[in-house]
Amino acid sequence: MASGSNIDPSHIKFGKSVYINPKIRLPQFDNGDSLAYQAYDSQNKEGKFIAIIAGVENIPRWNAVAAYAGLADTSFMRLVGSGVVNWSLENKQKYVFMYSGGLGKCLVEEGGFSEHHWRHPDIVEYFIQPMARMFKEMSDKNFAHGSICPSNIYYSGGGANSPVILGDGLSACAGSTQDALFFPPSKALAHPMGRGIASLEDDIYAFGVSLVLFLRKGNHLNGLSNEDIVRRKIDIGSYATLIGQERFPASFLDLLRGVLHDCSSSRWGVDEFFSWLDGTRLSPEPLTKKKKANRSIDFCGKKYLYAEFLALDLHKNPNELSSIIENGSLGKWVERSVDDTPMTERYIKALERSLADSDNKDYLAAQIAIALNPSLPLHYKGKCFTYDGLGSMMAKTICDGGDMGYYKSVLNLSLPDQALAGAGLPQNEVLANLKQFDTCRSVLRMNNMGYGIERCVYILCDSAPCLSPKLEQYFINSDSSVIMAFEDMCKRGGQIALMIDQHLAAFYYVAYPNIMGSIAYDLNSPEKDSKIAANLRFMAGLQKRARINSVPAIARVFLESLSGVYKAFNNKEMQKVIKSGVEEAAKDGDLPAMAALLDDKTSLARDKKAFQIASAEYRMLEDEYNQYNIKLANKKTYGVVSGHDAAAVVSWLAATIITVIVILAFISGNRIF
Amino acid sequence: MADKKEKKAKKSKKPKVKKKGGFGFKGRLFFIALVLMSITFLPTTMLLFFGMLPSLVAFFVNARGMSARASTISAMNLAGCVPFVFKLWDTGNDFEASIDILTNTQTLMVIYTAAAFGYMIDWVVTGLVSSYMYQKGVLRMKAIRKRQEVLVGLWGEGLSGTRNDKS
């Protein structure tokens, strides 16, 4: 089709020989807002690829690429490459995930029904077994997919009677492209970007839902809202909610009951999955029974007999909640009617905590909701997210230009810490998460470069690229991407030497704390020259690590701003030598050489010592000058004492000579008088 | 014991004050010898007393610390006296000879002219030396300024510590 010489100029190059054709869309492989395009290898006509293009706003999982590339199972879409591409359609950089093509249709279209003609053994062989193998490998390689749904599982291109292929799970934030149906009640109501880090347990649950959608013949959930479905899942469990009155093959029911368990710790894992495949009959654990209150409580015109349902609705009317707390009816209901001691304790603690911001009724609602149903996501001031989904929510808000003050208050009120308590995590994970939140609160208190809410984003969302507003046209996730972005900006002009901004500093503080630590002092200095020197050192470090030989445009920008930096050397001759050296290095675009010249510790120490000696000499000369100035002020008296002494010497000398002559004359008999 | 040590230390710490004025033991011995010699050689003493009157005047007139000028005058005054001392010794070294010499106008003229010459030496040499030293001082000041300019040229205004050209 296309050879190296006659490539359509509108095609976007990726890597050495792969081109993306932006005119050919492959919508069946889209992952949410990450759109799929056809790509091809210009060297090999057979090479057809699926390029999924993700923008910064999708928070793609670029840091999980290495783990995904290590997955050997053939049922994963084969990732042939990934990286930043200049997406000319939007005139900005995007992250591309390049998969090998040759896939068939998806198992079930979104909102549709399966058109399969597989018998039960085929379903096991071509769908369930490949999924189990993939879960096993994901478990071994510590990877979670985060985008499992039947519209993202494909028939093999080789024919219907082949194992299914699992679609892309990297091009979007984990969980953000799945429908709420694919999540247990603990995550379903959260904002798509706030569903937290992908986990194998969630993937297994999503597989269960996918299997139900694949097998179902009707849709009894049609017309129900996400909240209604969650309410039903809480009421009767996910399995019963999804199966409904549908008649499924009996052999799959145990599997579905196991993988659709609402509690992640009781849900089937990989081992149970394989045991079921081996034919072992396992009985899934029953659902934990909710405690029914003796009498109902009125809230928002509805009567509640279960605290779990009340927790779902508290955020809808915080004022009424406040009044039923103040008149004691909620307290009595929890203590006497529900009669659940742990819940009562949580309720009392929540009331105590809410005193920290007693005027904030939304805070009170969030606290009480956590107390009544700790497994639900956090609902605060109209936003809903899980404790581990906060980071990606914040990143998305920055991309959308939203107000970050909300997240500052969430962190300062320790809401994620309290939501964490209900997640049922092992103690070490709880402590690790609490440490993260503590770190966030401590960085919020500081105003230095690289601190503040921006740093919290990168601490809590490790897949967030740098979200600096000045770099919004670029996808910044590595040293080379930073360097190349600034080189491009410097070429365009208007760029100044103070390149590091709050976001870039925060991003690198999290990714490479040692680099930022070494320049932190100068970066926060009030002197502009120190800041410029810190910027140069930072960019030089990046160029060195990225192994990019030459960045002449960045070097030129720095060169124009270094006049004050040379003054780190006191000796003017040395300044000239350094300046000419820096100019030479700038011509080659060699930032490390420029920084090395300005940061040469031996030369700086020698210069400092020589300056101290020269300074001492200057002061000594100044003292001597002042002494002379005082002495010479009266010309009549200066040197008179010495003059008298000299006169005495002369006089005594003359007198001695005269005396000797007189004595000689006397001895010789001659008389003078 | 400790009190005694402290007292000793206090005593040793007291600065030793040199006695001003008066003679020491050697001085007193020398003065006695001089008086005895003067009595023994009374005619010579008389001649020298009248001959060295300008020196005595110079010693008493000059301010404290200006003894160098008196010394200059004394040297030449003494040189003027020496021929007449020899003349006295040659003519019997008695009072009559001494009075003869002293009453001779020429003698006093020679002795006092020598003393005046001493004063002249003091005036000329002091003027020359002070002028020379003044010029030397001026040149040194210029050299200091030049060296400071070189240092500032090499190290910048920050060297003086009063101005900081880094800011």
Side-chain angles (χ1 to χ4, degrees):
Chain A
M1 183 178 90
S3 68
S5 57
N6 57 354
I7 303 287
D8 187 330
S10 68
H11 292 186
I12 296 156
K13 193 177 181 186
F14 174 74
K16 283 180 183 172
S17 59
V18 176
Y19 285 83
I20 302 165
N21 186 350
K23 290 171 189 164
I24 304 179
R25 285 267 291 111
L26 302 171
Q28 67 274 30
F29 299 111
D30 289 352
N31 191 8
D33 292 335
S34 301
L35 306 182
Y37 294 86
Q38 194 184 69
Y40 60 90
D41 189 344
S42 61
Q43 309 282 318
N44 176 14
K45 288 180 181 177
E46 301 296 314
K48 290 272 176 64
F49 304 110
I50 300 160
I52 303 181
I53 311 295
V56 173
E57 65 284 357
N58 303 123
I59 322 288
R61 297 167 65 197
W62 54 272
N63 55 344
V65 164
Y68 187 85
L71 301 171
D73 196 283
T74 50
S75 283
F76 287 107
M77 263 176 106
R78 196 168 72 84
L79 185 72
V80 292
S82 67
V84 177
V85 70
N86 291 316
W87 194 246
S88 52
L89 294 186
E90 292 174 44
N91 205 21
K92 57 175 15 180
Q93 287 187 342
K94 300 250 183 182
Y95 202 89
V96 60
F97 296 90
M98 192 70 72
Y99 295 98
S100 56
L103 273 67
K105 280 180 158 186
C106 62
L107 291 193
V108 184
E109 294 278 354
E110 213 165 302
F113 297 94
S114 167
E115 295 168 2
H116 76 96
H117 305 289
W118 283 342
R119 293 174 295 112
H120 295 176
D122 295 336
I123 294 170
V124 173
E125 188 181 351
Y126 301 136
F127 183 23
I128 299 173
Q129 273 184 352
M131 289 303 294
R133 281 201 311 271
M134 283 191 278
F135 287 137
K136 173 84 172 82
E137 193 159 17
M138 285 197 280
S139 169
D140 292 345
K141 303 274 169 65
N142 198 20
F143 175 81
H145 191 272
S147 288
I148 294 176
C149 59
S151 60
N152 196 26
I153 302 170
Y154 302 92
Y155 291 109
S156 167
N161 291 336
S162 340
V164 295
I165 291 174
L166 183 59
D168 163 65
L170 299 172
S171 65
C173 178
S176 66
T177 58
Q178 289 164 293
D179 196 76
L181 187 69
F182 293 88
F183 289 94
S186 59
K187 286 190 173 183
L189 286 179
H191 185 280
M193 294 301 286
R195 286 171 177 158
I197 299 162
S199 68
L200 197 64
E201 291 83 6
D202 289 343
D203 282 344
I204 289 174
Y205 184 93
F207 156 74
V209 180
S210 302
L211 185 58
V212 170
L213 298 187
F214 181 72
L215 295 173
R216 74 177 181 180
K217 300 290 179 211
N219 185 5
H220 64 279
L221 298 174
N222 195 17
L224 291 178
S225 69
N226 285 338
E227 199 177 317
D228 292 334
I229 295 171
V230 169
R231 216 174 279 275
R232 195 177 282 189
K233 281 181 178 177
I234 293 172
D235 192 15
I236 56 172
S238 295
Y239 170 77
T241 304
L242 291 163
I243 300 290
Q245 300 301 317
E246 191 94 31
R247 290 176 63 83
F248 280 17
S251 54
F252 296 145
L253 293 181
D254 277 350
L255 172 68
L256 287 172
R257 197 177 284 118
V259 297
L260 290 174
H261 203 290
D262 287 330
C263 178
S264 61
S265 57
S266 304
R267 197 173 297 148
W268 276 12
V270 175
D271 293 336
E272 288 92 341
F273 212 145
F274 274 96
S275 300
W276 179 84
L277 283 170
D278 290 342
T280 312
R281 268 195 73 84
L282 298 165
S283 47
E285 285 184 34
L287 287 172
T288 317
K289 213 173 179 185
K290 296 184 296 297
K291 208 153 193 183
K292 192 177 179 182
N294 296 333
R295 63 173 179 84
S296 64
I297 185 168
D298 289 340
F299 183 75
C300 284
K302 281 164 74 176
K303 291 187 184 299
Y304 293 87
L305 279 168
Y306 293 98
E308 287 79 1
F309 292 128
L310 179 63
L312 268 178
D313 293 336
L314 288 178
H315 68 94
K316 290 175 184 168
N317 197 344
N319 288 326
E320 191 178 338
L321 170 68
S322 176
S323 65
I324 61 169
I325 288 173
E326 278 169 19
N327 66 26
S329 57
L330 181 62
K332 281 176 194 164
W333 183 74
V334 170
E335 198 177 347
R336 296 175 193 171
S337 298
V338 181
D339 194 22
D340 182 342
T341 312
M343 189 187 288
T344 310
E345 284 171 2
R346 288 198 303 269
Y347 176 79
I348 292 164
K349 277 185 186 170
L351 284 181
E352 284 169 3
R353 276 197 297 264
S354 65
L355 293 173
D357 194 359
S358 53
D359 294 335
N360 188 347
K361 287 175 181 168
D362 290 293
Y363 177 56
L364 177 70
Q367 289 283 356
I368 302 297
I370 292 169
L372 299 187
N373 191 352
S375 67
L376 287 180
L378 191 63
H379 229 125
Y380 180 65
K381 287 191 177 176
K383 287 192 171 79
C384 186
F385 50 88
T386 60
Y387 72 92
D388 54 345
L390 179 63
S392 46
M393 280 279 282
M394 289 163 85
K396 180 69 177 165
T397 305
I398 288 177
C399 291
D400 297 342
D403 176 28
M404 296 301 286
Y406 169 82
Y407 298 101
K408 280 184 192 173
S409 70
V410 166
L411 284 164
N412 283 328
L413 289 168
S414 304
L415 281 170
D417 307 51
Q418 287 140 32
L420 180 65
L425 293 175
Q427 188 67 12
N428 59 338
E429 284 184 38
V430 171
L431 290 175
N433 279 293
L434 285 176
K435 196 179 167 191
Q436 268 196 340
F437 296 134
D438 280 339
T439 309
C440 288
R441 278 185 285 275
S442 67
V443 299
L444 274 179
R445 284 194 286 271
M446 296 171 82
N447 298 320
N448 286 355
M449 189 71 105
Y451 287 77
I453 192 72
E454 293 84 358
R455 174 98 159 254
C456 300
V457 176
Y458 303 109
I459 290 172
L460 298 176
C461 182
D462 59 357
S463 60
C466 178
L467 302 169
S468 167
K470 73 152 89 168
L471 295 165
E472 64 181 354
Q473 301 297 315
Y474 303 91
F475 194 97
I476 304 297
N477 67 331
S478 64
D479 298 332
S480 59
S481 62
V482 177
I483 284 286
M484 295 320 292
F486 277 107
E487 178 69 2
D488 188 44
M489 286 163 71
C490 291
K491 272 181 191 164
R492 289 183 193 181
Q495 180 59 35
I496 58 165
L498 296 176
M499 296 176 182
I500 306 174
D501 67 354
Q502 192 71 2
H503 267 285
L504 193 58
F507 179 77
Y508 267 89
Y509 255 120
V510 175
Y512 303 101
N514 290 343
I515 295 175
M516 293 310 293
S518 65
I519 62 162
Y521 182 78
D522 286 334
L523 200 60
N524 291 299
S525 164
E527 285 182 21
K528 193 182 170 190
D529 294 327
S530 299
K531 284 184 181 175
I532 292 170
N535 274 266
L536 174 60
R537 254 182 282 153
F538 173 76
M539 297 303 279
L542 298 196
Q543 187 188 357
K544 202 173 176 181
R545 282 208 315 277
R547 293 180 186 168
I548 294 168
N549 290 330
S550 178
V551 281
I554 298 177
R556 202 167 45 247
V557 168
F558 274 118
L559 193 63
E560 287 163 6
S561 313
L562 288 175
S563 58
V565 180
Y566 299 126
K567 287 176 185 168
F569 290 91
N570 297 292
N571 191 301
K572 302 270 179 185
E573 290 300 317
M574 182 70 108
Q575 282 179 13
K576 282 178 191 166
V577 171
I578 297 291
K579 192 178 176 184
S580 70
V582 168
E583 281 168 353
E584 280 299 310
K587 276 181 197 167
D588 300 333
D590 191 351
L591 299 181
M594 288 169 76
L597 282 164
L598 291 167
D599 273 346
D600 185 356
K601 295 223 172 357
T602 316
S603 299
L604 280 167
R606 205 184 300 142
D607 176 81
K608 193 179 172 186
K609 197 167 184 180
F611 179 77
Q612 284 169 347
I613 292 167
S615 187
E617 186 187 349
Y618 186 94
R619 283 196 301 275
M620 208 170 68
L621 289 170
E622 191 66 28
D623 289 345
E624 192 182 349
Y625 184 89
N626 290 336
Q627 281 174 11
Y628 270 113
N629 215 11
I630 293 163
K631 283 179 193 169
L632 298 183
N634 192 348
K635 194 177 176 179
K636 284 180 184 173
T637 56
Y638 184 73
V640 167
V641 173
S642 303
H644 283 308
D645 290 344
V649 171
V650 169
S651 177
W652 276 104
L653 206 64
T656 307
I657 292 165
I658 291 165
T659 307
V660 168
I661 291 167
V662 168
I663 290 166
L664 288 173
F666 185 75
I667 293 166
S668 61
N670 295 318
R671 302 289 180 270
I672 297 170
F673 298 105
Chain B
M1 279 294 282
D3 290 344
K4 279 181 184 177
K5 275 184 183 177
E6 272 180 21
K7 279 177 186 173
K8 272 186 182 178
K10 276 182 185 175
K11 275 182 185 174
S12 64
K13 275 180 186 174
K14 279 182 183 173
K16 287 178 182 174
V17 182
K18 280 189 178 177
K19 286 178 182 174
K20 285 185 180 177
F23 297 107
F25 176 72
K26 283 180 185 174
R28 282 177 195 165
L29 208 64
F30 178 74
F31 185 73
I32 290 163
L34 194 71
V35 169
L36 289 174
M37 288 277 284
S38 304
I39 293 164
T40 311
F41 302 103
L42 205 56
T44 306
T45 307
M46 197 170 74
L47 176 64
L48 284 175
F49 176 76
F50 286 104
M52 293 296 282
L53 270 176
S55 298
L56 283 170
V57 171
F59 268 113
F60 286 109
V61 165
N62 284 328
R64 200 181 180 93
M66 288 289 282
S67 57
R69 177 186 278 175
S71 176
T72 309
I73 294 166
S74 303
M76 290 311 290
N77 193 189
L78 189 64
C81 288
V82 167
F84 299 103
V85 171
F86 279 108
K87 189 179 178 180
L88 175 67
W89 290 347
D90 199 30
T91 53
N93 193 18
D94 52 16
F95 276 105
E96 282 178 22
S98 180
I99 290 165
D100 280 348
I101 290 166
L102 282 170
T103 50
N104 190 340
T105 320
Q106 192 195 2
T107 305
L108 290 176
M109 277 281 283
V110 169
I111 292 170
Y112 291 165
T113 306
F117 194 69
Y119 190 87
M120 213 171 69
I121 287 173
D122 180 72
W123 181 69
V124 171
V125 172
T126 301
L128 284 172
V129 168
S130 66
S131 179
Y132 167 76
M133 285 184 71
Y134 185 82
Q135 288 306 318
K136 199 180 157 190
V138 169
L139 286 172
R140 178 62 188 152
M141 283 174 79
K142 282 181 182 171
I144 287 170
R145 277 287 178 253
K146 204 171 177 182
R147 175 66 185 154
Q148 283 182 321
E149 277 169 21
V150 169
L151 286 173
V152 168
L154 204 60
W155 296 97
E157 289 293 332
L159 194 71
S160 63
T162 52
R163 267 181 280 174
N164 187 3
D165 60 352
K166 280 185 185 182
S167 58

